Amino acid sequence: MVYYDFPLFIICFVFHGAACRLIGCYECCMRCLGGVPYCSLVATLLCFSGIALFCGCGHQALTETERLIETYFARNLQDYITLAYIIQYFQYVIYGLASFFFLYCIVLLAEGFYTTSAARQTFGEFRSTMCGRCLSSSFIVMTYVLAVLWLLVFAFSALPVYFFYNMDATCHTIDILTETPASINQLCVDARQYGLLPWNAVPGKACGMTLSNVCKTREYRMTYDLYIAAFAGAGIMLLALLTYTVSTTYNFAVLRYLGRKGIGARC
């Protein structure tokens, strides 16, 4: 029985139009959907959203951080010129990360389509090959290494969130103790303690009501939110890499099983 559903017909025409005319659009599309690597597809969506969130918000957060340091924590250009160069360097790294992971996720998705189709024997004579198993094992190792490295990036992205959290907690304490100015002036946030500025930077820190006013600015709130978003994006990206590791390992195990059964162990 043939179902002339237009969206299904378009899918069939693109992927397997000849077979659609022979066995019917519905049956063909069920075969096509059976070969979709859903785990890799979910990981790809997580990868795209995570890397976009991390790179986009992280890039803007670094720009706003430089502006905050320049405005409230340093008066001399030489005090924060090194920090400005480091921020610029990290922004270039972000460009490279975005490009690399965008392409790598596409490659992993394509590999997922290949291995899933081979494992389920969806497309006729298409079978597991020695090259396919070697390629899958290479992707497993690469993805595992990237997941370990990205775990370090995830931990590193928590550092600015920790800094701004402490700053926000100090500002909250200042707002509570507004009736005792003497104790307020003793509450400070020193950027030099976090390595953002050299120890001879002037003033290098913000105290009392000055710090409270900094926390109330739009630049501070936006920078804090951007770092939180970048941290969340790094977490999503880590989840995507772990999902890729699980899916590629499973697909490789199935391909190896088919190879032991003697199904098309050729290259």
Side-chain angles (χ1 to χ4, degrees), residues 115-141:
T115 53
T116 303
S117 300
R120 298 182 182 181
Q121 306 176 17
T122 305
F123 299 110
E125 296 300 323
F126 189 50
R127 294 293 187 269
S128 171
T129 64
M130 184 65 67
C131 287
R133 294 193 295 274
C134 292
L135 186 64
S136 297
S137 61
S138 300
F139 280 126
I140 291 173
V141 175

Side-chain angles (χ1 to χ4, degrees), residues 164-181:
F164 278 92
Y165 174 78
N166 287 339
M167 187 172 176
D168 190 67
T170 305
C171 291
H172 181 68
T173 304
I174 292 174
D175 293 336
I176 295 176
L177 301 177
T178 52
E179 297 180 358
T180 54

Side-chain angles (χ1 to χ4, degrees), residues 10-23:
I10 294 298
I11 297 175
C12 292
F13 179 78
V14 173
F15 291 100
H16 218 203
C20 290
R21 291 190 295 269
L22 294 176
I23 63 176

Side-chain angles (χ1 to χ4, degrees), residues 8 24 43 55 87 89 121 139 161 226 235 261 265:
L8 292 179
C55 292
I87 287 176
Y89 171 77
Q121 306 176 17
F139 280 126
V161 177
L226 286 173
K261 291 292 185 179

